[in-house]
Amino acid sequence: MSATAPLRAAAPQRRPSGSRAPRRTPNRPLRLVEPPATTPGRLAFVVLIGAVLGGGLVVLLLLHTLAAQDAFTLHRLQHQAATLNDAEQELTVANQQAAAPSALARRARALGMVPTGPMTIEHRRNGRLVGVATAAYVPAPPAPAVTPTPSAAAKPSPTASPSTSPSRSTSATRAPAHRHRSHPH
């Protein structure tokens, strides 16, 4: 061997940089070391974002459904309001027609009322003035024509003989002529 060999043995040995061996230093005391701070994983972040987006989508769909339901309700109520408006207009026209003077006069005649004649003012003994109206003359409506029933014309009367004159049978079927006279007051 050579003379340089003992020197090599005395030189400190170098270790590869990848392997670290714990060094003990007798001068330094041992102490507790904090564990490294853990960061939340990427998976938790992705799940959180997905949950927020999914919840937003569900809320958006619910709002859209409510808006569509409100649109149908609005359409139904507008149609109902238009129908009620038409009915109100029809009733208003019918009320105006019933309140027309000609309609009132027709209903009054149907109830047996007559129009008034000229109005006179009378002085009462107590000093009050009173208006007095008299009924105007209204001619009676024409009487309905009397026509025999077919069953009465088909049966011969027990007192009538078959040799009755034709003028008598035709005069019985004629309606009497009525004439009304108007009397001015």
Side-chain angles (χ1 to χ4, degrees):
M1 281 220 202
S2 71
T4 61
L7 286 175
R8 276 191 201 169
Q13 292 181 343
R14 288 192 178 191
R15 294 191 181 141
S17 63
S19 63
R20 293 187 182 177
R23 291 186 186 179
R24 290 195 176 195
T25 54
N27 298 343
R28 292 178 69 190
L30 293 177
R31 62 183 173 112
L32 291 174
V33 178
E34 292 183 22
T38 58
T39 59
R42 194 174 233 187
L43 180 64
F45 180 72
V46 170
V47 169
L48 176 69
I49 295 298
V52 168
L53 290 176
L57 182 63
V58 168
V59 168
L60 184 66
L61 288 174
L62 286 175
L63 288 175
H64 181 69
T65 303
L66 289 175
Q69 185 179 9
D70 289 343
F72 282 118
T73 304
L74 178 66
H75 178 69
R76 181 178 48 84
L77 290 175
Q78 284 175 342
H79 182 56
Q80 185 179 7
T83 303
L84 290 174
N85 191 18
D86 291 343
E88 179 188 15
Q89 287 178 355
E90 288 175 6
L91 290 174
T92 301
V93 168
N95 190 20
Q96 288 173 351
Q97 288 175 348
S102 61
L104 289 175
R106 185 174 49 249
R107 284 188 298 182
R109 277 190 303 273
L111 292 173
M113 298 176 152
V114 293
T116 59
M119 185 167 240
T120 59
I121 298 176
E122 295 181 0
H123 292 281
R124 297 282 171 121
R125 289 182 184 155
N126 60 3
R128 295 181 124 185
L129 294 175
V130 178
V132 178
T134 58
Y137 176 75
V138 177
V146 178
T147 57
T149 59
S151 63
K155 292 182 184 178
S157 66
T159 58
S161 64
S163 65
T164 58
S165 67
S167 63
R168 184 176 177 184
S169 64
T170 56
S171 66
T173 59
R174 289 187 192 155
H178 292 288
R179 293 190 181 237
H180 295 285
R181 292 186 225 174
S182 61
H183 297 287
H185 286 341

